[in-house]
Amino acid sequence: MALNVTRPSRFKSYGKHAEVDDQRETVYTCPANSVAYMSLVFVSNGTANATDVLIEWYDASETTRITVVGSKNLSAGDFLQLSSAFLVLEPGDRLEVTPSNTGGGASPDIGVITTVEEVFLPTQG
């Protein structure tokens, strides 16, 4: 069910693999002329090693990052699901993930899936 029934919107899921140790990856960026209601963030560890995961919201209007999940350790095959609330993103806002391999061995392989409802806003002219 749509969260906003008064304006055109669409539901969409985005996925990303974060496979480089300590490198921030953008999972989703809210497009121009839209507001995005992020209702799901699903993170899984696809390696046989433990990996820390940092999830951040980049607030474009303030040019700052806010920690959503800080250094959560996911053991081999473990996952994290955030779905009991939603985050409202404005144009240019991003969801970012940074893996940090803590178990040694292979490079991290963190999979991230996010689901958003993008509400289209009329342009100001």
Side-chain angles (χ1 to χ4, degrees):
M1 173 180 273
L3 297 173
N4 185 321
V5 295
T6 61
R7 295 188 178 158
S9 67
R10 69 177 176 188
F11 282 96
K12 196 162 182 187
S13 291
Y14 296 86
K16 181 76 171 188
H17 274 282
E19 301 173 313
V20 179
D21 200 27
D22 296 321
Q23 179 175 309
R24 182 181 289 123
E25 297 282 348
T26 298
V27 178
Y28 173 77
T29 303
C30 182
N33 302 322
S34 297
V35 171
Y37 299 105
M38 186 171 288
S39 58
L40 171 71
V41 178
F42 186 87
V43 182
S44 63
N45 181 1
T47 67
N49 303 306
T51 302
D52 283 352
V53 176
L54 171 66
I55 302 171
E56 296 171 299
W57 162 38
Y58 175 78
D59 183 352
S61 67
E62 298 291 327
T63 62
T64 189
R65 287 181 175 81
I66 295 101
T67 300
V68 177
V69 174
S71 296
K72 171 68 175 162
N73 187 269
L74 297 178
S75 57
D78 203 2
F79 69 91
L80 172 66
Q81 179 175 321
L82 306 174
S83 61
S84 61
F86 61 90
L87 180 65
V88 179
L89 296 117
E90 296 179 339
D93 288 359
R94 302 187 300 257
L95 183 72
E96 302 171 330
V97 63
T98 306
S100 183
N101 191 349
T102 58
S107 297
D109 181 10
I110 295 297
V112 184
I113 300 169
T114 185
T115 299
V116 298
E117 179 185 11
E118 294 174 338
V119 178
F120 305 106
L121 304 175
T123 58
Q124 304 294 319

